[in-house]
């Protein structure tokens, strides 16, 4: 299927209480900060975390998309919106059962953002923001124009990056990337990622599809794809709605990997990984995705970023 055919219609919500919150170009634009859109995914149990996440971003003068994998209490939704969050339904088959596996939903955001010329920052809602990441990310892309995907590493060494980057205006803009090939799988953390969508959005969408499938156990794969690819690959609204409902009905929580990061690292990110031919800080894998590893503790309180 050609990339231009992806996401020709917004994915329909499966939860009746979320009808009217379908993802759209307008909602992604409303949440954009400069050339980026920041996104997280939450369920009702994570509502308090998400409110803290959003308040911190607001203090940094950033907006964000918040994907709801289930209905939140009305007051929680109101507070998120008042703090600058644009809410959308993100209740696909995996996300409804395990928010950390919302890769189908992230692929939908990426497809819309790519059409709008935006890049995407995706983080777990338990990240604590201490600085605006966007100046550093712009500097990283200027220094490393080939990079498609930035992740952080859970691996701690005594050889962390200490080289400073300089922004276009001459100001310091954080630290240089780590050596991507020094990272040890499965230590590349998928809880905070940056996707630069030009010019490689098609490969990143294929990658996210593979992340979704890597999150499923063999039983989960059999349950969700009896007649072909994973549900977000459908484009017609009627077909997509039917397939999403069918997958959601068949899938159970025990069909999702307990810790999706492990199989995602081993089966997708690390598949055919090798040092980039022209940029020694970067790596490229079999999916033609060029990967960089973020330095530690730049703009969040999490260990990895």
């Amino acid at each position: 299927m050609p990339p231009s055919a992806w996401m020709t219609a917004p994915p329909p919500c499966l939860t009746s209480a979320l009808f009217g919150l379908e993802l759209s170009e307008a909602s992604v634009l409303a949440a954009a900060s400069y050339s980026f859109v920041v996104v997280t995914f939450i369920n009702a149990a994570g509502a308090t975390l998400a409110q803290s996440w959003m308040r911190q971003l607001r203090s940094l003068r950033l907006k964000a998309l918040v994907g709801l994998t289930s209905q939140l209490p009305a007051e929680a939704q109101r507070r998120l919106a008042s703090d600058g969050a644009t809410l959308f339904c993100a209740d696909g088959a995996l996300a409804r059962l395990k928010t950390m596996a919302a890769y189908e939903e992230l692929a939908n955001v990426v497809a819309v953002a790519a059409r709008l010329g935006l890049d995407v920052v995706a983080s777990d809602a338990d990240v604590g923001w201490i600085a605006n990441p966007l100046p550093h990310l712009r500097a990283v892309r200027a220094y490393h124009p080939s990079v498609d995907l930035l992740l952080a590493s859970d691996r701690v060494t005594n050889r962390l990056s200490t080289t400073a980057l300089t922004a276009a205006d001459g100001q310091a803009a954080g630290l240089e990337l780590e050596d991507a090939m020094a990272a040890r799988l499965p230590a590349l953390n998928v809880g905070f990622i940056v996707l630069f969508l030009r010019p490689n959005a098609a490969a990143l969408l294929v990658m996210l599809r593979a992340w979704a499938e890597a999150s499923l156990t063999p039983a989960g794969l059999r349950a969700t794809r009896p007649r072909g690819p994973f549900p977000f690959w459908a484009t017609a609204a009627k077909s997509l709605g039917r397939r999403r409902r069918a997958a959601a009905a068949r899938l159970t929580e025990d069909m999702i990997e307990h810790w999706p990061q492990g199989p995602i690292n081993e089966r997708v990110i690390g598949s055919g990984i090798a040092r980039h031919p022209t940029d020694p800080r970067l790596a490229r894998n079999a999916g033609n995705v060029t990967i960089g590893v973020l330095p530690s503790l730049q703009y969040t309180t999490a260990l990895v970023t």
Side-chain angles (χ1 to χ4, degrees), residues 6 25 28 53 67 90 129 144-146 176 198 203 208 217 219 257 275 301:
W6 294 340
E25 290 189 1
V28 173
W53 182 90
W129 298 94
H144 304 282
S146 298
E176 175 62 287
R198 296 174 302 278
L208 289 172
T217 66
E257 295 281 359
R275 196 172 295 281
T301 57

Side-chain angles (χ1 to χ4, degrees), residues 43 58 79 88 101 103 130 165 182 189 216 224 236 239 289 303:
N43 56 20
R58 183 184 182 185
R79 288 184 179 179
F88 71 102
Y103 301 119
I130 57 176
L165 295 181
N189 192 299
L216 293 168
T224 56
S239 171
V289 172
L303 168 67

Side-chain angles (χ1 to χ4, degrees), residues 29-296:
L29 280 173
S33 296
Y34 307 98
S35 60
F36 291 86
V37 61
V38 183
V39 61
T40 196
F41 300 91
I42 59 162
N43 56 20
T48 301
L49 277 176
Q51 289 173 60
S52 174
W53 182 90
M54 192 63 236
R55 282 195 299 270
Q56 292 161 22
L57 283 175
R58 183 184 182 185
S59 74
L60 300 171
R61 303 185 179 217
L62 296 176
K63 299 179 287 184
L65 272 177
V66 175
L68 307 182
T69 65
S70 65
Q71 182 183 13
L72 302 191
E75 180 62 13
Q77 289 193 198
R78 186 195 67 76
R79 288 184 179 179
L80 281 167
S82 69
D83 282 331
T86 299
L87 308 179
F88 71 102
C89 70
D91 56 347
L94 271 74
R96 285 156 60 100
L97 296 172
K98 186 167 293 216
T99 302
M100 71 172 64
Y103 301 119
E104 174 191 0
E105 316 303 321
L106 180 55
N108 293 334
V109 172
V110 164
V112 176
R115 291 206 303 269
L116 296 171
L118 299 171
D119 298 314
V120 175
V121 177
S123 91
D124 291 343
D126 59 359
V127 160
W129 298 94
I130 57 176
N132 182 344
L134 303 189
H136 180 248
L137 299 180
R138 286 194 290 266
V140 166
R141 192 71 191 288
Y143 273 71
H144 304 282
S146 298
V147 72
D148 301 313
L149 172 69
L150 294 175
L151 307 97
S153 176
D154 290 334
R155 183 169 179 259
V156 179
T157 75
N158 60 1
R159 294 191 299 171
L160 295 176
S161 174
T162 57
T163 303
L165 295 181
T166 304
D169 61 4
Q171 299 297 309
L175 297 179
E176 175 62 287
L177 298 179
E178 304 290 344
D179 179 351
M181 288 303 294
R184 295 290 183 270
L185 304 177
L188 291 178
N189 192 299
V190 296
F192 184 96
I193 65 172
V194 182
L195 301 112
F196 293 106
L197 304 184
R198 296 174 302 278
N200 212 16
L204 289 167
L205 279 166
V206 171
M207 178 197 76
L208 289 172
R209 176 196 180 196
W211 285 20
E213 294 190 346
S215 300
L216 293 168
T217 66
L221 279 171
R222 290 193 297 272
T224 56
R225 3 174 10 202
R227 295 190 184 90
F230 203 70
F232 78 74
W233 235 234
T235 56
K238 183 176 180 181
S239 171
L240 180 55
R242 182 171 61 249
R243 297 192 69 195
R244 281 166 61 89
R245 285 190 293 272
R250 289 190 294 266
L251 198 65
T252 56
E253 189 170 0
D254 62 329
M255 296 177 182
I256 303 175
E257 295 281 359
H258 174 69
W259 188 56
Q261 178 175 306
I264 286 170
N265 268 248
E266 292 161 3
R267 299 177 203 167
V268 186
I269 296 172
S271 175
I273 197 165
R275 196 172 295 281
H276 191 276
T278 61
D279 189 333
R281 288 266 176 182
L282 305 180
R284 190 163 61 192
N285 68 10
N288 196 36
V289 172
T290 297
I291 299 163
V293 176
L294 289 161
S296 294

